[in-house]
Amino acid sequence: MAPLEGLADGPMREVLCAHGGYDLCFSEFIRITDLCVSEKTLIREIPEFLNDCRTPDGTDLRVQFLGDNPKTLALSAVKAHKLGAKSIDINFGCPSRFVHHSGAMLLKEPELMHEIMCTVREALPPECELSAKVRLGFADKAEAPEVIKAVAVDGVKEITVHCRTRKDLYKEDALDWSSMRNLHELAPNATLIANGNINSLEDAVKCREITLCNDFMCGRGAFAIPNLGHVIKEGSEPFSIVDILKTDVEVIEVFAKSRPTEKMVMDRAKQFLGYARVHRRELNPFFKVFCKCVTVNDGLKLLHDEINREEHNSNDN
């Protein structure tokens, strides 16, 4: 499951991984400046440190950092490993305009990317795995070979490739799985993982045929199909609308334990359904009503009423 900045923090990872069937999930990126990250920040952002760096259901978590200072990234990686991280990922893929000299902006500087990966790898003990997340390039897909060679240093286990450039952002028509096909030979000792619009079993099958990848990173599709990993790996039936609504009940219950106000809890429940309805348009009428909810009790009542209505209609059919 992808890092999903702003979406998949600890409580949301708890819910999504419990159903997802993922082999691995990622923390949201932790921004590293010219100062090493503090232990307090790591534990606050990654509650999984208290559970052997796994989500409550047992899904392994990989700690992801974003920054442009090789030394402080390396020191932060070592600190995370000492807290229990079994693997570290460096983010060169985030295209946010709020991320300046880091993330996907560094795709313009392959030498610095290479230095970061070498410095972090040298600082970590061999048993701590290292990976990177990149895009096909900054402005042009022709940059992809240079990007891969920059991060495929000795000791890097995996490279996830979002199949768009930074310039493309998340444009639907810019997605290009085919550009990954010839990149494998440039990273002979690392596994390439395909990322970008893999939201169903059909997508994964097609992506594998085009990219020659056997591993996939799934992102926002995890909201519309909370059991997406099981769907791709085992051919399970995607969650029904009822299952999605029940998952949102869990979102409320989990976030209610850690968020101080009802508004914050309901905002996350609305966020969950908001992303789910992008792919499951039949949720739209209920979502419009649900968005007017203010209290947790009202939200739960609406969800349970809609679940009962859906189940009744299903039994009638």
Side-chain angles (χ1 to χ4, degrees):
M1 188 177 75
L4 294 171
E5 173 64 15
L7 297 176
D9 54 3
M12 191 64 81
R13 291 194 296 269
E14 178 178 341
V15 174
L16 294 179
C17 288
H19 300 291
Y22 302 106
D23 299 307
L24 182 70
C25 70
F26 287 68
S27 72
E28 297 178 282
F29 68 71
I30 296 174
R31 193 187 303 264
I32 306 299
T33 61
D34 290 336
L35 297 175
C36 178
V37 68
S38 70
E39 183 175 309
K40 181 180 179 180
T41 296
L42 285 170
I43 293 173
R44 183 189 69 232
E45 298 297 325
I46 305 174
E48 290 88 349
F49 276 128
L50 303 177
N51 187 43
D52 194 30
C53 226
R54 293 184 173 92
T55 58
D57 70 289
T59 302
D60 284 325
L61 176 130
R62 181 168 294 170
V63 177
Q64 187 181 79
F65 291 123
L66 175 148
D68 65 352
N69 186 314
K71 182 178 179 180
T72 53
L73 280 165
L75 291 172
S76 298
V78 170
K79 185 172 287 189
H81 174 64
K82 288 180 178 178
L83 281 174
K86 303 175 184 67
S87 56
I88 303 292
D89 188 76
I90 306 298
N91 183 321
F92 299 114
C94 179
S96 171
R97 61 189 177 89
F98 298 109
V99 173
H100 301 294
H101 196 241
S102 53
M105 297 304 292
L106 295 189
L107 294 169
K108 297 188 290 184
E109 301 181 56
E111 298 87 358
L112 180 54
M113 292 168 61
H114 185 77
E115 181 185 356
I116 288 171
M117 296 303 292
C118 287
T119 304
V120 175
R121 181 65 275 175
E122 289 170 6
L124 288 170
E127 66 269 19
C128 187
E129 297 172 352
L130 180 64
S131 63
K133 188 171 189 289
V134 301
R135 284 177 170 247
L136 292 173
F138 183 82
D140 194 308
K141 293 177 290 187
E143 301 165 21
E146 189 174 18
V147 168
I148 296 300
K149 287 187 284 186
V151 298
V153 305
D154 289 343
V156 167
K157 182 185 179 184
E158 295 170 343
I159 302 169
T160 300
V161 183
H162 183 100
C163 295
R164 296 178 176 91
T165 66
R166 192 274 175 191
K167 182 180 178 181
D168 293 331
L169 298 177
Y170 295 99
K171 295 175 183 175
E172 191 77 24
D173 59 358
L175 183 72
D176 183 11
W177 289 338
S178 66
S179 290
M180 277 194 72
R181 191 177 185 92
N182 296 321
L183 299 178
H184 297 269
E185 61 191 36
L186 301 178
N189 298 316
T191 298
L192 263 57
I193 299 172
N195 172 234
N197 291 38
I198 301 169
N199 299 320
S200 67
L201 174 59
E202 293 74 21
D203 289 339
V205 170
K206 184 177 180 181
C207 184
R208 179 168 52 193
E209 292 173 352
I210 294 172
T211 64
L212 303 181
C213 291
N214 292 313
D215 300 274
F216 313 98
M217 178 179 280
C218 300
R220 290 168 177 80
F223 291 80
I225 306 177
N227 64 331
L228 184 54
H230 289 300
V231 171
I232 291 173
K233 291 193 297 184
E234 301 146 19
S236 300
E237 282 295 315
F239 266 19
S240 66
I241 294 298
V242 166
D243 293 326
I244 293 171
L245 294 171
K246 288 180 178 179
T247 303
D248 205 24
V249 170
E250 294 177 28
V251 170
I252 291 178
E253 292 171 345
V254 170
F255 274 97
K257 299 174 187 176
S258 62
R259 294 300 184 267
T261 69
E262 290 193 276
K263 182 181 185 303
M264 294 173 73
V265 175
M266 291 306 299
D267 282 349
R268 299 309 297 273
K270 294 169 187 176
Q271 181 192 54
F272 174 85
L273 274 189
Y275 278 95
R277 73 188 178 104
V278 172
H279 299 285
R280 305 297 291 272
R281 294 179 180 177
E282 57 268 53
L283 283 167
N284 277 330
F286 175 73
F287 178 70
K288 291 178 181 178
V289 175
F290 188 69
C291 278
K292 299 176 183 177
C293 270
V294 176
T295 69
V296 165
N297 283 340
D298 285 348
L300 288 173
K301 184 178 186 307
L302 265 181
L303 283 166
H304 286 302
D305 287 348
E306 185 68 7
I307 289 167
N308 291 334
R309 190 185 70 79
E310 288 282 345
E311 288 180 333
H312 179 75
N313 289 342
S314 178
N315 291 334
D316 286 347
N317 293 333

